[in-house]
Amino acid sequence: MKYCFDEKIDRSKNHSAKWAELGKKFGTDDLFPMWIADMDIKTAPEIVQAMKEKVEQEIFGYVYRPDSYYKSAADWLERRFGYKISEKTLIHSPGVVPSLSILVKLMTNEDEKILIQTPVYYPFAETIKDNKRTLVTNELVRDENGYYTMNFADLEEKLSDEKVTLFILCSPHNPVGRVWKKEELAKVGELCLKYNVRIIADEIWRDLVMPGVTHTPLASISKEIEDITITCFSPTKTFNIAGLQASFATFPRKEELERFDRELGILDIKRNNPFSLVAFEAAYTKCDEWVDQLNEFLSSNMDYTIDFIEKRVPEIKICKAEGTYLLWLDFSALGFTKEELSEFMKREAKVAMDDGYWFGDNGIGYERMNIACPRYMLEEGLTRIEKAVKSLRK
């Protein structure tokens, strides 16, 4: 491989939230961090070089976005996913979650309902509730092997409620790791068209899919579905540059893009910082090979984790994710309440993961594990879990 993802990493001086905010988040500092979704892997050297060149300019004032910034994002979308869009439909935003919050306010009223599919990334529900909208959930269905699918009968029933006017889709899905098939997405789009429900597609994980798996942008399926879909995405997860805090949104309707742009102006959050500007463009123009090799490494980490758990901790059930670098671990056989499982992970395993109940009530009994790290770190976290579960057998 041209790139190495397995080197030893020291983030003690990195001001890393993942490593330094354990006490704040979990109440104790003596945990091994496998929680927040950033990688213990250095970003692509091509991005680092672009940022070094920016540092060498020695001035970090306000920056504007050249046409090449938007072109790089549009070209990446066409090159990687076969979906061509106009650069004029793209707008910069400070992040996907801020975009969701702004869009909820702009596209719905307080007496309306917004649909999500649980278990799902918890800021979805928080954003809806914080904006005083009513949350409606369509629970995903899990089979005996841990593989999730959509409950389309329930989805249609929920969408048929005239108060439901917006659906937030997670694609690929965090935390269950599904990369939705084209036919699944087409059915979602057709149901939303049928019941006049707009869609926000959070596709921030779209680049991180396992070898042999294909992500389909929802808006690429048909012109009709494209017209009702606003897509949010970013290279931040893909290239481990989440701290640069910038993203894109794609708007099919010019008037909605302009409303969104005005809202960013009111909040005075329209500009990039100097480093996200050059990092994003370098990512989307120079790093195809890096991403391909990263996905191979993440796939091997998933395989290692599954083999370890199946052989040494069979009490835990696990299914390989099709996308993201997250694994959704089922601890329900241990018989813990959600509070007991959380305490077990902290007090006995000494591992910090995202508790499953954060993602919805149907996440109770689960933990979300981040496997985007060198193998030695993965071994450390898994060995801690094995030791803790072994203590229960006694």
Side-chain angles (χ1 to χ4, degrees):
M1 274 193 172
K2 177 180 177 180
Y3 301 101
C4 178
F5 304 101
D6 208 23
E7 61 182 300
K8 284 192 174 292
I9 297 293
D10 178 8
R11 298 185 72 179
S12 60
K13 297 179 181 179
N14 188 235
H15 299 96
S16 165
K18 182 178 184 180
W19 288 80
E21 290 188 357
L22 291 167
K24 179 180 178 182
K25 185 69 175 179
F26 297 94
T28 180
D29 292 312
D30 63 340
L31 305 180
F32 192 77
M34 306 187 81
W35 62 297
I36 196 169
D38 70 20
M39 298 189 276
D40 288 308
I41 292 170
K42 291 180 181 178
T43 194
E46 293 83 356
I47 296 173
V48 174
Q49 181 59 37
M51 294 175 71
K52 284 181 178 178
E53 291 171 3
K54 176 60 71 173
V55 167
E56 289 169 0
Q57 294 174 8
E58 299 183 357
I59 296 177
F60 312 111
Y62 297 122
V63 293
Y64 79 100
R65 287 180 289 275
D67 292 342
S68 57
Y69 178 79
Y70 291 111
K71 185 177 188 301
S72 70
D75 287 352
W76 177 274
L77 183 61
E78 183 176 10
R79 188 167 69 250
R80 304 287 294 190
F81 305 104
Y83 175 40
K84 184 174 179 60
I85 62 170
S86 168
E87 297 155 33
K88 294 180 180 180
T89 66
L90 285 169
I91 189 168
H92 161 84
S93 74
V96 169
V97 174
S99 293
L100 292 178
S101 184
I102 292 170
L103 288 169
V104 164
K105 286 194 293 184
L106 291 180
M107 298 178 66
T108 63
N109 299 314
E110 287 190 6
D111 63 341
E112 294 176 344
K113 301 177 182 179
I114 300 175
L115 178 67
I116 62 175
Q117 294 176 306
T118 58
V120 74
Y121 183 48
Y122 40 90
F124 283 17
E126 293 169 355
T127 294
I128 293 165
K129 293 174 182 176
D130 289 345
N131 280 296
K132 299 179 181 179
R133 273 59 170 175
T134 300
L135 174 66
V136 178
T137 60
N138 166 234
E139 293 190 4
L140 299 176
V141 179
R142 180 181 182 273
D143 69 15
E144 65 276 8
N145 298 313
Y147 189 77
Y148 282 84
T149 54
M150 296 187 193
N151 183 341
F152 282 106
D154 181 71
L155 178 62
E156 180 164 13
E157 181 182 340
K158 301 290 175 60
L159 289 172
S160 68
D161 180 349
E162 63 181 15
K163 286 287 188 179
V164 174
T165 59
L166 183 65
F167 172 42
I168 304 178
L169 172 73
C170 193
S171 178
H173 194 280
N174 168 16
V176 308
R178 275 299 317 278
V179 176
W180 304 115
K181 294 181 175 65
K182 185 175 182 179
E183 53 267 30
E184 292 173 302
L185 294 169
K187 195 166 183 178
V188 167
E190 292 301 325
L191 286 173
C192 289
L193 284 167
K194 179 178 179 180
Y195 293 107
N196 195 31
V197 175
R198 296 296 303 278
I199 305 170
I200 301 173
D202 174 0
E203 298 190 6
I204 197 170
W205 293 100
R206 66 186 188 180
D207 301 312
L208 298 177
V209 297
M210 298 305 97
V213 179
T214 300
H215 168 72
T216 300
L218 175 66
S220 70
I221 292 174
S222 71
K223 285 295 182 184
E224 293 79 11
I225 293 173
E226 181 182 57
D227 186 58
I228 64 168
T229 302
I230 295 170
T231 304
C232 300
F233 65 97
S234 173
T236 52
K237 297 296 185 194
T238 309
F239 299 97
N240 205 26
I241 48 178
L244 297 183
Q245 295 182 321
S247 72
F248 294 94
T250 308
F251 285 83
R253 303 180 187 183
K254 182 180 178 182
E255 66 275 13
E256 291 178 345
L257 183 149
E258 291 172 346
R259 284 179 63 203
F260 186 84
D261 187 52
R262 285 195 298 272
E263 191 69 18
L264 294 177
I266 291 169
L267 298 170
D268 195 22
I269 51 174
K270 291 180 67 168
R271 292 188 184 275
N272 290 75
N273 69 59
F275 297 101
S276 66
L277 185 74
V278 297
F280 278 33
E281 191 165 336
Y284 281 150
T285 56
K286 299 178 180 179
C287 297
D288 290 67
E289 186 179 2
W290 187 90
V291 174
D292 292 338
Q293 292 186 17
L294 171 66
N295 282 332
E296 291 178 15
F297 176 76
L298 295 176
S299 181
S300 70
N301 265 5
M302 287 190 188
D303 290 339
Y304 175 84
T305 302
I306 292 168
D307 182 68
F308 185 105
I309 288 177
E310 288 181 345
K311 290 179 178 177
R312 296 163 65 171
V313 202
E315 294 90 339
I316 301 171
K317 303 304 178 186
I318 189 171
C319 178
K320 185 172 182 178
E322 296 172 332
T324 79
Y325 48 70
L326 308 167
L327 287 175
W328 190 232
L329 275 57
D330 180 1
F331 286 78
S332 59
L334 300 182
F336 290 136
T337 66
K338 65 181 183 181
E339 295 84 5
E340 289 169 343
L341 178 57
S342 183
E343 286 302 304
F344 173 77
M345 295 303 297
K346 289 187 290 186
R347 307 303 173 194
E348 302 300 328
K350 297 290 185 180
V351 175
M353 293 191 198
D354 286 20
D355 290 327
Y357 70 88
W358 298 354
F359 301 84
D361 288 343
N362 55 338
I364 293 173
Y366 294 80
E367 295 285 326
R368 191 191 76 171
M369 173 188 277
N370 178 348
I371 56 86
C373 58
R375 184 63 56 83
Y376 76 92
M377 288 187 181
L378 191 56
E379 292 173 356
E380 172 68 22
L382 289 169
T383 301
R384 289 183 180 214
I385 295 168
E386 178 191 21
K387 182 178 178 181
V389 174
K390 275 185 175 181
S391 70
L392 295 175
R393 297 174 188 159
K394 300 177 182 179

